[in-house]
Structure formats: C-alpha cells, structure tokens
Amino acid sequence: MSETDLSTLLELLPKYSPFNSLDTDFLTMLARDISLKTGDVGQCLFESGDFDADEFYLISGTISLIAQDGRENLISTDSTNARFPIARLRPRMYTAKAATPISYFVISASVLDELQSSTRKNDSNVLVKEMQQKAGEEGHSLVYEFEQELNTGRFVLPSLPEVAFRIRELIDNPECSMEDLAKLVNTDPAIATKLVKVANSVMYRGASHCDDTQTAIARLGLTTTKQLVTSFAVLALFETKSHLFKDHMRRLWQQSVEVAAYSYVLAKQLPGFNKEEALLAGLIHSIGEIVVLTYAERFYDLSTDENRLNIATTNLRSKLGEMVLTRWGFTEDLITVARESGDWMRGSGSIAEDGSDFDYCDLVQVATLYALQGKENVSPPLPEINSVPAFEKLKKHQLTSEQTTAIVEAAKDQIAELRSIFNN
C-alpha cells in the first residue's frame, strides 16, 4: 500500500464503525488488510445469494441494492447507514451495483469479525450504558437490514396460530355458544388439555372435577378462556429450528413464564386489573425478542457473537414487539407492554399523585424485577428495584414495596402452579 493510500485510510477509518473505537497505531496496522477501490456506474460489488468473504464500505457516490423481487434501495454517502458495512446478511439478500461512480474500501469479513470480537474482549467492564451506545452505532445497521428484509417480503413476522385466532374471533362474536367454542377448541388437543388442567387447578377448582372442554370453558368463562388460549398459543412460538439458539429460546421461555406468574398474582390484588390479561402481558413482554432470534438465524455473524446478538435485541425487540401485536389485533395495553417494558425509566417525569397512571406495562416491570432479580443469565442486567418509576407509581396505587413483597411471598403456591401449567 502506498503512503498516500495509507494516509487516506487513516483519515477515513475513524468515520466508520467499528474503526472509530481504535487508536492510530492499531488503525495503521489494520490498514494493511484494507483495499481502496473505485467503480464505474453499473459495477457489481456482490450478487444476491453470494456467500462472499468481504465487507464493503462506501466512501463516495451511490450504491443500488436490488432485491430478488426487483425492488431497489439506494445508499449514498449522506445515508446514516453508510457508516456501516453494506448489507452484511449472508447469503446476500441483494445485488449491489454502483448507481454512480463510486469509491469504497474492502476488508475481509473474518478480519472485521475478529476485530469486533477482540475489541469487546479487551473491555471487560462494559456497562449497560456503554452497550446501549454501541447498540446505537452497530444496531442502526441491523435495523436497516431488517426493515429491508421485511419490506421486500424476505422475512415474515410470525402469525398467531390459526386455531387460537379463530377461537378469539368466535369468543368476540355475541352469538358464540359454549358448544361451538368447545368443538373449535377440541381441534387443538394441546390447548384443550391445558384448558381442562387450568379449570381443575387450585385457582379455578369448583365443587366437581372437569372432565371435558365444554365444562372447563363454562367454569373459566369466555374472557378467561380467550386470554388463556392466547397465552398457550404465544408459548408455542418459543421454538427455534436452530440448535444455536435453543438454549437462548428456552431461557426466554422460562423467564417469560416467571414474569407472567408474578404478573398474575400481583394483578389479583390491584383494582381495575384483570389477572388473565396480566398473565398474557407477562408472556408477551419479550415477544419482540422471539422475532429477533428467528431473524438472527439468518445472520451469519450473530450465531457466534453474543454481544452482537444483544445489540440486535436492544435495537429491534421493542419495535418488533409492537409490530407483531398490532398485526395480531391485540389491545393497546398489551402493545405498550411489548414496546415499552424494556424502558425502565418510562414515566419518570410525570407520575400521577393518585397512581392512576400505573398500567399493565408498569405491572410487568414490577413482576420482572421480583421474578428475575438475582437470577443468572438475565440480559441486559436489571436495575435496582427502588430506582424504577413503576414502583413509585405502584406505591401511589396503594401498594408499598413491603406489601408487594408480602403478596408475592403469600402466593408462592399459585406461582408454582402457574409455572407447572405453562412449563409442561
């Protein structure tokens, strides 16, 4: 490499991610592995379906990304995502061609991955705030990639299972009969079995034992049946075909069940809250993360990079959770849970004196801290209980932290029963 090219690279690299975190000596050494190039209009950098070994950064000009269905997106030097490698997804989802004369630089994908990995390992005291800052840099690229995949139909949001959707529709019909509903529920033996089990649980048990679906629905009521069926259907989404993410998905399942159980027992003590709605809120609070994991199976560098996966989750889970629940026709309360439950400081600026602004999202945050505080493998780390505005709102809603703790302690058997129902 000529001294001129080296000088140019040392001036350019700090403008791009992740090179902006490196010192001059490291950049000088790294520059030997980077090639400066130019291209004429129409030059192809890579084609859709490629598993090539290089990453491309745009210096000047405009690049056209062409999806397999013919849709076209342009990236120019003034695009916010131009600071990141172009369309990193493997196999390549787009054909990249120069729309104008361009200049760019190329680096080996393996070198870039090693660089990102080593910079993370060298910083052993990464705090949540620093991770969020990193997410703002790298995560923007992931958000852009995801939106392109969604817009071109290459990635499809998960659907609520058909039987669950039909059951919800039937229950919402004023002419719904117990007999018709029982027949529909029985088309899904797993859901039918779980409904009967819940109806015979300590929480709903009557004078006699329920032996069939119709009797179970009559005992539970239509509203409770609707919420429970939806909850069972949501849990069916906690699956992945990728062995790389099975442990992550199971951990997410277990944590969601814990949060749901705690949400349920707390809601029973709060006027204006429906305990089954709270249960469902706890189960769906991380629905966006399920979609992230499903999407991550297609990102070649997320499967082996936990930090990068966490960055993707931080950036995408709220937006995806909102998109999924909106598509499913869920209530605004539940959509808010999926969108905002990860924002621990929500509502910190204006808390109603009478606690009237305490909502299902606040309830799920309180339940999450009680359910997961002190447990292993919780990412990102949880805040201190007393620092979260949701607790201040709950206090104004007439429940102090001491009373809340007492409620949770007294409900251990119910929590264990809910855990049993949803973990089997």
Side-chain angles (χ1 to χ4, degrees), residues 410-422:
K412 281 186 174 180
D413 289 344
Q414 286 188 40
I415 291 172
E417 185 161 26
L418 286 165
R419 191 183 292 136
S420 173
I421 291 170
F422 286 98

Side-chain angles (χ1 to χ4, degrees), residues 73-207:
N73 295 285
L74 297 177
I75 297 178
S76 57
T77 48
D78 58 356
S79 302
T80 54
N81 53 300
R83 296 174 51 243
F84 307 95
I86 299 168
R88 294 198 72 188
L89 196 65
R90 299 295 196 283
R92 297 284 191 183
M93 295 293 104
Y94 311 97
T95 295
K97 291 185 176 182
T100 68
I102 59 171
S103 61
Y104 59 99
F105 66 88
V106 183
I107 183 171
S108 165
S110 60
V111 171
L112 185 62
D113 288 342
E114 182 60 31
L115 169 63
Q116 291 173 327
S117 177
S118 62
T119 53
R120 293 188 188 100
K121 290 176 183 176
N122 290 335
D123 186 2
S124 58
N125 297 313
V126 178
L127 300 175
V128 174
K129 184 176 180 181
E130 292 172 326
M131 194 198 89
Q132 290 173 335
Q133 182 179 3
K134 183 67 175 174
E137 298 170 357
E138 248 183 70
H140 184 88
S141 175
L142 289 167
V143 172
Y144 174 80
E145 292 272 8
F146 177 83
E147 288 177 340
Q148 298 306 307
E149 295 304 292
L150 198 61
N151 291 338
T152 57
R154 298 280 300 180
F155 182 78
V156 180
L157 292 173
S159 299
L160 195 66
E162 178 66 19
V163 172
F165 183 78
R166 288 167 57 202
I167 290 172
R168 286 171 60 87
E169 274 194 330
L170 181 58
I171 291 175
D172 288 339
N173 186 338
E175 297 181 3
C176 171
S177 71
M178 291 288 183
E179 183 179 358
D180 289 341
L181 180 57
K183 287 179 180 178
L184 181 55
V185 170
N186 284 333
T187 63
D188 190 316
I191 289 179
T193 300
K194 288 177 181 177
L195 278 181
V196 172
K197 182 176 180 180
V198 172
N200 286 315
S201 69
V202 173
M203 297 176 292
Y204 297 99
R205 185 177 297 157

Side-chain angles (χ1 to χ4, degrees), residues 367-380:
T368 299
L369 292 177
Y370 271 100
L372 304 182
Q373 194 73 260
K375 299 231 176 134
E376 297 180 354
N377 299 319
V378 178
S379 178

